[in-house]
Every structure is written in C-alpha cells, then in structure tokens.
Amino acid sequence: MELSYKLQKLPTQFFASLVQKVNKAIAEGRDVINLGQGNPDRPTPTHIVKALQEAAADPDTHKYSLFRGMLELKQAVSNFYKREYNVDIDPNEEVAILGGAKVGLVELPLCVLNPGDYMLLPDPGYPDYLSGPVLADVHFDTMPLLEENDFLPDYNTLPDEVKKRAKLMYLNYPNNPTGATATLEFFNKTVQFAKEHDITVVHDFAYGALGFDGEKPVSFLQAEGAKEVGVEFYTLSKTYNMAGWRVAFAVGNRDIIEAINLLQDHLFCSLFPAVQQAAAYALNSDQSCVEELRSIYESRRNVLVEEARRIGWNVRAPKGSFFAWLPVPEGFTSQEFSDYLLDKADVAVASGNGFGEHGEGYIRVGLLVEEERLREAIRRIEALGIFQKEIAKVQK
Ligand SMILES: Cc1ncc(COP(=O)(O)O)c(C=O)c1O
C-alpha cells in the first residue's frame, strides 16, 4: 500500500540507528554506558504514584473526560504558574491540556499555519520539531544557535526574507541539546521581534525545573507582552519523572489555546481522568521532590564537567536541562567520534549532527546515569588517550 505523501515525507528517526547499535553491543554482552538517550532514570515520586492509584480506583475516573480536560488540573496549572513564576493564567481560557509536549509541538503548525507557510526552528534543536511542519505541509527556516551567542538565536542576523515569511517560531530553554538557558532580556527581545514581524512564538519549557548554579530558569510568559504573541508548553515528564504518563499543557495566548483545544476536540477525549487528577496533585503539592531531582542533575553535571576537564577535555558547563553539549576533538566528525566512543569505550552518546547542521562538532551527553557511571565513562574515554594528545599539543 502506498502511504500518503505526508507520511512518506516524515523525517526518519535519526537516533533509531544509535538505539540499534547500542542494543547490538549490549546483546554481545558489552557493558555499555548509555549517555545517548533523554529518558529520566529515576521513578515518579511515590506521593504522585499513590495519588494515581487512589484516583484509578474511583469508578468516576473510568468515564470519558471532559473533551478539554478537567478544571481541577487547569486550576492546578494556574496555581503553579502563579506560585513558580508570578504569572496570572486564566484556567478556563488560557490552558490547554496535552498528552505530552510532543503532541502540542506537532499540533501547533496545524493550528496556526496554512500549507506553504514558513516557520522558524532552532538549529541545533529537538528532532521532533521537524514532524509538525511535514504534517501541516509547511516549510521551515532555521535559526543557528552558536556557542559565541550562548546558544541563543541572534535575530539581527536572520535574512530579511526569512524574517518576512516566518509566521511561527519555536524556542526551547533550558535547551535540548545545548544545556543553555535564556534570560528575561532575551525573551523581552523575542516579544519585540515577534510583534515587529507578526510571528507566533512557542516556547518549549520542557526543562523549566532544571536550572543550575542557583539560577531558576525564566518562563517566556514572564516577558512583557508574551501572552500577546505566544504560548509556553510545560510537561510533567521531566519535572516529576512522569515521561511515561504523557501529561503536559500549553499556557498563554487565548486564541492559540482555543485553536489547540479545537483541534484536540477532533483528535482526543483529553487524558485518563485519574492521570489528570494525579497531575493536579503533583503541581499543587510539596515541591521538595523537584528540588531533590534538580540537585541530583546538578551534582551529576559537576562530576561530568570536573572529570572531563581533568582529562583535558575543554567543556562548557551546561546551565540547565539534563544534557551536556561537549565539543568533539580535532580530527573527528560528530558521527565518527560517537561511533568511536561506542566501539572503543562502550560509551554511547548522541552525535550532534542529529540535532541539525549546527550540531556538527558536538556530542550530547545525558546526565541520566548515576555519578559513578559518569566517572567510569570518563575514565574509559581517558584510556583512549585522545585528550592527552591535545594537552601535549597545547604544551608544545
Ligand atoms: C525539548 C523537548 N521538548 C519536548 C519533549 C517531549 O516532552 P513530552 O514528554 O511532554 O512529550 C522533550 C523530550 O525529550 C524535549 O527534549
């Protein structure tokens, strides 16, 4: 059977081949340290699991949900934004419940663009950003995220033609894959830029809870006028280790929220009510589990950065997310270096070019294993002797 042209055009999952290689190595009995993936390694906190168990035992939750989700969860979202970011959100008009941020990211181009329109995507960026444009039959231009700009896009350098045709833009801070964070000043500039060029902004705040060095990541909605131009996506996947539960939400501009809800009226019947109740409980209850998780990632980051620098690998410390974005040593492409690490050191990492053209020259390391495994990974890389050669070069 011939598939629709849209399905045929969907991007192939770049990391599927990495998963295959890792699985093959594991099947051969090799002790692979897998730093290539982005799946939280710790379980959902017990109090949230208990809330789900109790809710699931109530027959009322076995029925269809309201199409647009439960007010209890939307109210919890509104409380959460007020408490965490001092942002006012109308639970009825400014929240859309999503079955994962990924769903919203794919839906948005269908909601606000017409075939042939253009959108702007970060490069490097989360690979799933590429799916929505294909399904909506729209084109995209990219915004380079460069190290010298702290991995923030420089709107001044975008060609006039690109600025003129863009109708939608995706941003993501703390950033996957670079670990960079944004400032309020940058978001204020983004609102100005969006107004000037009539661009809708989607800020993907998937790693909103994960900021390091005492800096709480900034919400896009804290910027002056942000709600006039866009929405923010927030997921419970990372903040509460609930990736398998599939629960997230969009907040912000009410026209965009209405558009998402309208599309979803035709696609879903919201989420399992017990999951919605447990998610509301997670957002409303004691947040010490979030701080505990954040500090685990910060501590792992410190171990990785210290160990890498010890062996002469000149790495930048990520400021947030649970990823580190490390430069590839001279003489390797990203793909060659990732293959080399897997073949020679049984260390799996994600090759930077899988995140876009500007990801070349980097690899992404996930901080999703215990500290001892991170140390062991660096010891194995040290034994390859690559960075010692670099130090020797510098000393000469
Ligand atoms: C930047 C980014 N956005 C969104 C997601 C997906 O979030 P969700 O689990 O809510 O679909 C991920 C997951 O890895 C991510 O890295």
Side-chain angles (χ1 to χ4, degrees):
M1 189 182 69
E2 194 178 330
L3 299 179
S4 71
Y5 76 91
K6 286 183 182 177
L7 290 202
Q8 289 187 48
K9 272 200 321 194
L10 279 174
T12 45
Q13 249 296 348
F14 184 85
F15 293 104
S17 74
L18 173 67
V19 172
Q20 249 176 18
K21 282 184 211 167
V22 170
N23 287 345
K24 185 169 165 276
I26 292 171
E28 286 166 5
R30 287 156 55 189
D31 173 27
V32 177
I33 302 178
N34 192 353
L35 309 177
Q37 56 182 21
N39 211 341
D41 58 313
R42 295 275 175 125
T44 308
T46 338
H47 65 284
I48 306 173
V49 174
K50 273 203 188 120
L52 175 70
Q53 285 167 335
E54 277 165 28
D58 175 359
D60 269 356
T61 66
H62 303 170
K63 299 178 180 165
Y64 288 119
S65 166
L66 284 171
F67 267 30
R68 296 184 173 198
M70 297 165 74
L71 184 57
E72 179 184 341
L73 175 53
K74 295 182 192 184
Q75 186 61 59
V77 167
S78 170
N79 299 347
F80 177 83
Y81 260 73
K82 185 69 190 169
R83 188 188 69 226
E84 298 293 329
Y85 305 109
N86 198 25
V87 169
D88 290 307
I89 297 290
D90 175 345
N92 289 302
E93 307 274 337
E94 294 180 337
V95 183
I97 307 298
L98 306 169
K102 177 175 164 137
V103 173
L105 291 163
V106 175
E107 287 173 344
L108 234 283
L110 287 167
C111 290
V112 301
L113 299 180
N114 290 309
D117 282 347
Y118 276 80
M119 62 185 290
L120 276 170
L121 294 176
D123 174 6
Y126 177 49
D128 287 15
Y129 293 156
L130 301 173
S131 313
V134 173
L135 294 177
D137 229 344
V138 303
H139 310 287
F140 66 87
D141 291 305
T142 53
M143 302 179 284
L145 307 187
L146 307 177
E147 189 159 345
E148 64 255 36
N149 299 330
D150 292 324
F151 299 110
L152 296 169
D154 180 354
Y155 300 129
N156 294 329
T157 59
L158 293 177
D160 286 343
E161 176 66 11
V162 166
K163 287 191 263 202
K164 211 163 98 190
R165 66 191 182 192
K167 294 201 167 156
L168 174 66
M169 164 165 74
Y170 280 5
L171 292 172
N172 161 231
Y173 294 96
N175 184 256
N176 176 7
T178 66
T181 52
T183 55
L184 186 58
E185 187 198 352
F186 168 73
F187 282 148
N188 283 331
K189 242 193 263 169
T190 300
V191 172
Q192 289 316 315
F193 175 72
K195 283 186 176 172
E196 214 173 295
H197 298 280
D198 204 9
I199 299 172
T200 296
V201 178
V202 171
H203 179 235
D204 177 359
F205 206 23
Y207 299 91
L210 306 180
F212 305 142
D213 308 315
E215 296 215 7
K216 187 180 171 77
V218 186
S219 158
F220 174 63
L221 298 185
Q222 288 174 303
E224 185 87 28
K227 264 197 223 171
E228 291 161 43
V229 299
V231 290
E232 183 156 85
F233 289 166
Y234 196 98
T235 175
L236 279 72
S237 294
K238 328 281 173 176
T239 307
Y240 305 101
N241 287 333
M242 288 168 65
W245 297 45
R246 313 309 304 134
V247 50
F249 50 87
V251 275
N253 183 280
R254 57 186 67 207
D255 295 335
I256 303 171
I257 295 297
E258 172 57 27
I260 295 172
N261 278 329
L262 179 60
L263 176 64
Q264 295 199 147
D265 285 346
H266 296 267
L267 288 173
F268 312 112
C269 194
S270 199
L271 316 180
F272 177 27
V275 165
Q276 294 187 60
Q277 283 180 8
Y281 182 70
L283 295 169
N284 278 334
S285 55
D286 180 23
Q287 300 294 297
S288 46
C289 59
V290 181
E291 172 48 26
E292 228 170 85
L293 184 64
R294 194 207 58 75
S295 72
I296 288 171
Y297 290 133
E298 178 159 354
S299 178
R300 289 176 182 176
R301 180 213 54 171
N302 292 344
V303 166
L304 179 82
V305 168
E306 277 163 28
E307 284 295 285
R309 288 178 182 164
R310 178 184 64 73
I311 69 163
W313 197 351
N314 184 18
V315 304
R316 226 174 125 104
K319 293 183 172 171
S321 83
F322 49 48
F323 297 114
W325 189 234
L326 310 182
V328 163
E330 226 177 89
F332 289 93
T333 66
S334 293
Q335 190 62 61
E336 285 165 357
F337 190 55
S338 320
D339 288 342
Y340 180 72
L341 292 185
L342 182 58
D343 292 345
K344 303 282 189 244
D346 288 339
V347 173
V349 298
S351 173
N353 59 318
F355 301 93
E357 196 185 313
H358 288 91
E360 182 52 52
Y362 296 89
I363 54 163
R364 190 193 72 179
V365 164
L367 303 170
L368 300 161
V369 296
E370 299 300 339
E371 289 178 18
E372 200 31 57
R373 291 294 272 175
L374 286 172
R375 285 184 207 281
E376 167 69 15
I378 299 290
R379 274 197 295 269
R380 290 184 192 179
I381 295 171
E382 181 181 21
L384 301 173
I386 322 163
F387 294 101
Q388 283 82 338
K389 276 183 223 147
E390 294 231 327
I391 295 172
K393 239 186 325 184
V394 173
Q395 283 168 347
K396 259 194 234 164

mmCIF file of all heavy atoms in Angstrom, residues 38 99-103 105 126 129 172 176 204 206-207 235-238 243 246-248 323, ligand 1:
data_model
loop_
_atom_site.group_PDB
_atom_site.id
_atom_site.type_symbol
_atom_site.label_atom_id
_atom_site.label_comp_id
_atom_site.label_asym_id
_atom_site.label_seq_id
_atom_site.Cartn_x
_atom_site.Cartn_y
_atom_site.Cartn_z
ATOM 1 N N GLY A 38 17.364 10.400 26.356
ATOM 2 C CA GLY A 38 16.835 11.509 27.162
ATOM 3 C C GLY A 38 15.688 11.074 28.053
ATOM 4 O O GLY A 38 14.773 11.848 28.289
ATOM 5 N N GLY A 99 -1.427 15.642 25.743
ATOM 6 C CA GLY A 99 -0.913 14.292 26.022
ATOM 7 C C GLY A 99 0.582 14.244 25.779
ATOM 8 O O GLY A 99 1.087 13.433 25.007
ATOM 9 N N GLY A 100 1.311 15.145 26.432
ATOM 10 C CA GLY A 100 2.752 15.295 26.217
ATOM 11 C C GLY A 100 3.016 16.557 25.411
ATOM 12 O O GLY A 100 2.212 16.921 24.538
ATOM 13 N N ALA A 101 4.139 17.221 25.721
ATOM 14 C CA ALA A 101 4.505 18.428 24.967
ATOM 15 C C ALA A 101 4.708 18.086 23.497
ATOM 16 O O ALA A 101 4.422 18.882 22.602
ATOM 17 C CB ALA A 101 5.777 19.034 25.550
ATOM 18 N N LYS A 102 5.186 16.875 23.250
ATOM 19 C CA LYS A 102 5.439 16.427 21.877
ATOM 20 C C LYS A 102 4.176 16.565 21.022
ATOM 21 O O LYS A 102 4.236 16.966 19.855
ATOM 22 C CB LYS A 102 5.911 14.971 21.947
ATOM 23 C CG LYS A 102 6.159 14.335 20.637
ATOM 24 C CD LYS A 102 6.744 12.948 20.824
ATOM 25 C CE LYS A 102 6.606 12.207 19.509
ATOM 26 N NZ LYS A 102 7.795 11.461 19.163
ATOM 27 N N VAL A 103 3.025 16.234 21.613
ATOM 28 C CA VAL A 103 1.756 16.326 20.887
ATOM 29 C C VAL A 103 1.488 17.790 20.506
ATOM 30 O O VAL A 103 1.164 18.104 19.357
ATOM 31 C CB VAL A 103 0.596 15.757 21.747
ATOM 32 C CG1 VAL A 103 -0.740 15.993 21.073
ATOM 33 C CG2 VAL A 103 0.823 14.282 22.017
ATOM 34 N N LEU A 105 3.594 20.183 20.167
ATOM 35 C CA LEU A 105 4.586 20.659 19.204
ATOM 36 C C LEU A 105 4.208 20.243 17.775
ATOM 37 O O LEU A 105 4.443 20.982 16.823
ATOM 38 C CB LEU A 105 5.970 20.089 19.553
ATOM 39 C CG LEU A 105 6.587 20.655 20.838
ATOM 40 C CD1 LEU A 105 7.729 19.780 21.344
ATOM 41 C CD2 LEU A 105 7.069 22.085 20.621
ATOM 42 N N TYR A 126 15.597 20.053 19.153
ATOM 43 C CA TYR A 126 14.947 18.767 19.451
ATOM 44 C C TYR A 126 14.402 18.190 18.130
ATOM 45 O O TYR A 126 13.614 18.858 17.450
ATOM 46 C CB TYR A 126 13.828 19.065 20.450
ATOM 47 C CG TYR A 126 12.946 17.932 20.880
ATOM 48 C CD1 TYR A 126 13.476 16.706 21.305
ATOM 49 C CD2 TYR A 126 11.562 18.094 20.921
ATOM 50 C CE1 TYR A 126 12.640 15.689 21.730
ATOM 51 C CE2 TYR A 126 10.718 17.077 21.354
ATOM 52 C CZ TYR A 126 11.272 15.877 21.745
ATOM 53 O OH TYR A 126 10.442 14.875 22.177
ATOM 54 N N TYR A 129 10.812 18.515 16.507
ATOM 55 C CA TYR A 129 10.279 19.766 15.937
ATOM 56 C C TYR A 129 10.051 19.634 14.426
ATOM 57 O O TYR A 129 9.328 20.417 13.838
ATOM 58 C CB TYR A 129 11.240 20.939 16.179
ATOM 59 C CG TYR A 129 11.406 21.362 17.619
ATOM 60 C CD1 TYR A 129 12.544 22.031 18.043
ATOM 61 C CD2 TYR A 129 10.412 21.121 18.559
ATOM 62 C CE1 TYR A 129 12.706 22.433 19.363
ATOM 63 C CE2 TYR A 129 10.566 21.517 19.883
ATOM 64 C CZ TYR A 129 11.716 22.161 20.277
ATOM 65 O OH TYR A 129 11.872 22.546 21.587
ATOM 66 N N ASN A 172 13.363 26.951 22.877
ATOM 67 C CA ASN A 172 13.410 25.942 23.940
ATOM 68 C C ASN A 172 14.586 26.229 24.887
ATOM 69 O O ASN A 172 15.725 26.022 24.521
ATOM 70 C CB ASN A 172 13.534 24.550 23.272
ATOM 71 C CG ASN A 172 14.047 23.464 24.196
ATOM 72 O OD1 ASN A 172 14.982 22.740 23.863
ATOM 73 N ND2 ASN A 172 13.454 23.348 25.353
ATOM 74 N N ASN A 176 17.525 21.732 24.933
ATOM 75 C CA ASN A 176 17.949 20.436 24.439
ATOM 76 C C ASN A 176 18.382 20.686 22.992
ATOM 77 O O ASN A 176 17.551 21.155 22.215
ATOM 78 C CB ASN A 176 16.769 19.451 24.480
ATOM 79 C CG ASN A 176 17.115 18.096 23.877
ATOM 80 O OD1 ASN A 176 18.252 17.833 23.542
ATOM 81 N ND2 ASN A 176 16.100 17.246 23.743
ATOM 82 N N ASP A 204 9.088 26.128 24.312
ATOM 83 C CA ASP A 204 9.048 24.773 24.860
ATOM 84 C C ASP A 204 9.853 24.786 26.164
ATOM 85 O O ASP A 204 11.085 24.857 26.148
ATOM 86 C CB ASP A 204 9.669 23.839 23.805
ATOM 87 C CG ASP A 204 9.760 22.401 24.260
ATOM 88 O OD1 ASP A 204 9.371 22.101 25.398
ATOM 89 O OD2 ASP A 204 10.237 21.570 23.453
ATOM 90 N N ALA A 206 10.208 22.468 28.470
ATOM 91 C CA ALA A 206 10.242 21.086 28.962
ATOM 92 C C ALA A 206 11.191 20.907 30.149
ATOM 93 O O ALA A 206 10.958 20.086 31.028
ATOM 94 C CB ALA A 206 10.648 20.152 27.828
ATOM 95 N N TYR A 207 12.281 21.720 30.162
ATOM 96 C CA TYR A 207 13.275 21.565 31.239
ATOM 97 C C TYR A 207 13.193 22.730 32.225
ATOM 98 O O TYR A 207 14.193 23.089 32.868
ATOM 99 C CB TYR A 207 14.684 21.427 30.631
ATOM 100 C CG TYR A 207 14.767 20.216 29.748
ATOM 101 C CD1 TYR A 207 14.496 20.298 28.383
ATOM 102 C CD2 TYR A 207 15.035 18.961 30.277
ATOM 103 C CE1 TYR A 207 14.494 19.175 27.569
ATOM 104 C CE2 TYR A 207 15.045 17.829 29.484
ATOM 105 C CZ TYR A 207 14.776 17.938 28.134
ATOM 106 O OH TYR A 207 14.776 16.814 27.354
ATOM 107 N N THR A 235 5.796 20.404 30.476
ATOM 108 C CA THR A 235 5.496 18.977 30.609
ATOM 109 C C THR A 235 5.830 18.485 32.018
ATOM 110 O O THR A 235 6.751 18.996 32.659
ATOM 111 C CB THR A 235 6.284 18.148 29.575
ATOM 112 O OG1 THR A 235 6.056 16.763 29.814
ATOM 113 C CG2 THR A 235 7.782 18.413 29.630
ATOM 114 N N LEU A 236 5.092 17.479 32.478
ATOM 115 C CA LEU A 236 5.410 16.880 33.772
ATOM 116 C C LEU A 236 6.456 15.770 33.609
ATOM 117 O O LEU A 236 6.928 15.202 34.585
ATOM 118 C CB LEU A 236 4.136 16.341 34.454
ATOM 119 C CG LEU A 236 3.308 17.415 35.177
ATOM 120 C CD1 LEU A 236 2.589 18.338 34.210
ATOM 121 C CD2 LEU A 236 2.312 16.799 36.141
ATOM 122 N N SER A 237 6.829 15.482 32.350
ATOM 123 C CA SER A 237 7.755 14.373 32.067
ATOM 124 C C SER A 237 9.072 14.489 32.816
ATOM 125 O O SER A 237 9.598 13.495 33.320
ATOM 126 C CB SER A 237 8.078 14.322 30.577
ATOM 127 O OG SER A 237 6.951 13.998 29.823
ATOM 128 N N LYS A 238 9.631 15.704 32.833
ATOM 129 C CA LYS A 238 10.979 15.863 33.404
ATOM 130 C C LYS A 238 10.901 16.359 34.849
ATOM 131 O O LYS A 238 11.671 15.922 35.697
ATOM 132 C CB LYS A 238 11.812 16.854 32.582
ATOM 133 C CG LYS A 238 11.514 16.876 31.104
ATOM 134 C CD LYS A 238 12.152 15.747 30.343
ATOM 135 C CE LYS A 238 11.668 15.741 28.916
ATOM 136 N NZ LYS A 238 12.288 14.752 28.078
ATOM 137 N N ALA A 243 7.578 10.792 32.454
ATOM 138 C CA ALA A 243 7.635 10.736 30.985
ATOM 139 C C ALA A 243 6.647 9.719 30.387
ATOM 140 O O ALA A 243 6.069 9.949 29.328
ATOM 141 C CB ALA A 243 9.057 10.436 30.528
ATOM 142 N N ARG A 246 2.482 10.718 30.019
ATOM 143 C CA ARG A 246 2.032 11.565 28.902
ATOM 144 C C ARG A 246 1.101 12.661 29.390
ATOM 145 O O ARG A 246 -0.112 12.627 29.131
ATOM 146 C CB ARG A 246 1.362 10.727 27.792
ATOM 147 C CG ARG A 246 2.103 9.492 27.359
ATOM 148 C CD ARG A 246 3.548 9.731 27.007
ATOM 149 N NE ARG A 246 3.737 10.734 25.984
ATOM 150 C CZ ARG A 246 4.663 11.709 26.083
ATOM 151 N NH1 ARG A 246 5.468 11.802 27.134
ATOM 152 N NH2 ARG A 246 4.779 12.569 25.124
ATOM 153 N N VAL A 247 1.633 13.598 30.117
ATOM 154 C CA VAL A 247 0.813 14.733 30.535
ATOM 155 C C VAL A 247 1.629 16.025 30.506
ATOM 156 O O VAL A 247 2.745 16.088 31.022
ATOM 157 C CB VAL A 247 0.102 14.472 31.893
ATOM 158 C CG1 VAL A 247 1.021 13.971 32.963
ATOM 159 C CG2 VAL A 247 -0.664 15.689 32.401
ATOM 160 N N ALA A 248 1.045 17.009 29.837
ATOM 161 C CA ALA A 248 1.691 18.315 29.669
ATOM 162 C C ALA A 248 0.580 19.341 29.443
ATOM 163 O O ALA A 248 -0.605 18.983 29.432
ATOM 164 C CB ALA A 248 2.631 18.276 28.464
ATOM 165 N N PHE A 323 21.240 17.719 29.981
ATOM 166 C CA PHE A 323 22.183 17.374 28.925
ATOM 167 C C PHE A 323 23.450 18.222 29.018
ATOM 168 O O PHE A 323 23.399 19.359 29.483
ATOM 169 C CB PHE A 323 21.561 17.622 27.546
ATOM 170 C CG PHE A 323 20.353 16.771 27.271
ATOM 171 C CD1 PHE A 323 19.097 17.341 27.135
ATOM 172 C CD2 PHE A 323 20.480 15.396 27.145
ATOM 173 C CE1 PHE A 323 17.980 16.563 26.878
ATOM 174 C CE2 PHE A 323 19.361 14.600 26.892
ATOM 175 C CZ PHE A 323 18.116 15.187 26.766
HETATM 176 C C1 LIG B 1 12.920 19.869 24.184
HETATM 177 C C2 LIG B 1 11.883 18.827 24.441
HETATM 178 N N1 LIG B 1 10.593 19.147 24.264
HETATM 179 C C3 LIG B 1 9.626 18.244 24.462
HETATM 180 C C4 LIG B 1 9.925 16.952 24.850
HETATM 181 C C5 LIG B 1 8.818 15.951 24.998
HETATM 182 O O1 LIG B 1 8.100 16.134 26.143
HETATM 183 P P1 LIG B 1 6.854 15.198 26.454
HETATM 184 O O2 LIG B 1 7.368 14.005 27.192
HETATM 185 O O3 LIG B 1 5.951 16.037 27.290
HETATM 186 O O4 LIG B 1 6.231 14.826 25.143
HETATM 187 C C6 LIG B 1 11.251 16.574 25.043
HETATM 188 C C7 LIG B 1 11.558 15.197 25.432
HETATM 189 O O5 LIG B 1 12.627 14.704 25.349
HETATM 190 C C8 LIG B 1 12.247 17.540 24.843
HETATM 191 O O6 LIG B 1 13.539 17.234 24.991
#
